[in-house]
Amino acid sequence: MAGEKYVIATSDNSVQIAIRNILNPRGYIFLGNCSDGVSLIRLVRSYSPDIVVVDLNMQLRDLRLAVETIDDEMMCTCIVLGDSKELEMSNLFEKSKSIVYCPKPLSRELLLHTVELALVNYKRISDLNKKLKEMTENLETRKLVDRAKWILMQRDGLDESEAYERMRRKSMDARMSMKALAEAIITAYEIGKR
């Protein structure tokens, strides 16, 4: 990969230098460093990095909230460096979409491997989320269109194909989406029932 941008969250300057010395020669682009959760969120929202490398040496509660926000909003992939004994963070890893764990002490090969796998996994999950959102929107549109067809069938005595064809033609003539037309038919029907 390479060319991807990253942010580091650590209060330990030696950890930041070690991470930069591993990632920069491989073509990764360093955007900035911070040492608290609020600054981390600000950096991520400002620069839209591909990767955030977080050191568990920061205040755990503050860090946890920042990492959860990044994960919930799928802002980027997040690599957490630390000791596997951090029980408070372990359940976060189980529920996350984009958080990956990398143990300390830092190893060049392990960090590079973790970064590459995290990026691949993040892309896969991001693509699946887009497909899921699209399918959900299509299903909602389908439900609205079916309900509007039912209304036309009941009101105008049409069969299903005639109701659909009427909606399709009206949609094209009015230059509006089938979803918008279905919503208008449903709204008019519900107002008429009152």
Side-chain angles (χ1 to χ4, degrees), residues 1-178:
M1 298 202 158
E4 286 85 357
K5 303 171 289 186
Y6 70 97
V7 168
I8 301 172
T10 183
S11 57
D12 185 347
N13 199 36
S14 64
V15 171
Q16 180 202 155
I17 292 169
I19 293 168
R20 291 176 69 181
N21 285 339
I22 293 169
L23 296 180
N24 288 2
R26 288 295 180 103
Y28 294 97
I29 301 164
F30 175 70
L31 296 176
N33 181 58
C34 61
S35 58
D36 64 274
V38 173
S39 298
L40 175 59
I41 295 296
R42 191 175 300 126
L43 270 175
V44 170
R45 287 200 170 122
S46 297
Y47 294 121
S48 300
D50 302 297
I51 310 159
V52 171
V53 182
V54 179
D55 188 5
L56 280 179
N57 69 350
M58 296 170 42
Q59 184 181 356
L60 202 55
R61 183 175 177 272
D62 187 36
L63 170 71
R64 183 183 179 93
L65 290 172
V67 169
E68 283 178 336
T69 301
I70 291 168
D71 186 58
D72 288 344
E73 297 179 21
M74 287 287 293
M75 294 182 204
C76 63
T77 189
C78 187
I79 298 170
V80 177
L81 305 174
D83 187 359
S84 61
K85 296 175 186 148
E86 294 289 345
L87 295 175
E88 192 172 325
M89 292 298 284
S90 64
N91 66 348
L92 180 63
F93 298 129
E94 293 172 9
K95 299 174 186 174
S96 76
K97 297 175 272 201
S98 61
I99 302 172
V100 179
Y101 174 74
C102 184
K104 280 185 173 180
L106 216 52
S107 152
R108 176 179 305 278
E109 291 76 27
L110 184 58
L111 180 60
L112 288 171
H113 185 68
T114 302
V115 166
E116 289 170 7
L117 286 177
L119 287 168
V120 167
N121 193 45
Y122 179 79
K123 182 175 179 351
R124 182 181 310 129
I125 290 173
S126 183
D127 289 347
L128 287 173
N129 278 343
K130 286 177 189 172
K131 286 180 184 176
L132 179 61
K133 182 179 179 184
E134 185 180 301
M135 289 172 64
T136 302
E137 288 172 0
N138 289 343
L139 179 62
E140 291 303 316
T141 299
R142 178 81 180 205
K143 286 179 181 178
L144 289 170
V145 169
D146 284 347
R147 184 158 180 226
K149 281 192 312 189
W150 179 85
I151 291 169
L152 292 176
M153 290 164 61
Q154 294 294 321
R155 188 185 71 196
D156 300 340
L158 305 172
D159 67 21
E160 187 174 359
S161 63
E162 291 171 331
Y164 181 79
E165 187 57 32
R166 181 183 287 180
M167 286 180 64
R168 191 183 68 75
R169 270 183 284 143
K170 179 69 175 172
S171 169
M172 290 171 61
D173 292 345
R175 293 188 178 161
M176 63 191 310
S177 69
M178 287 288 279

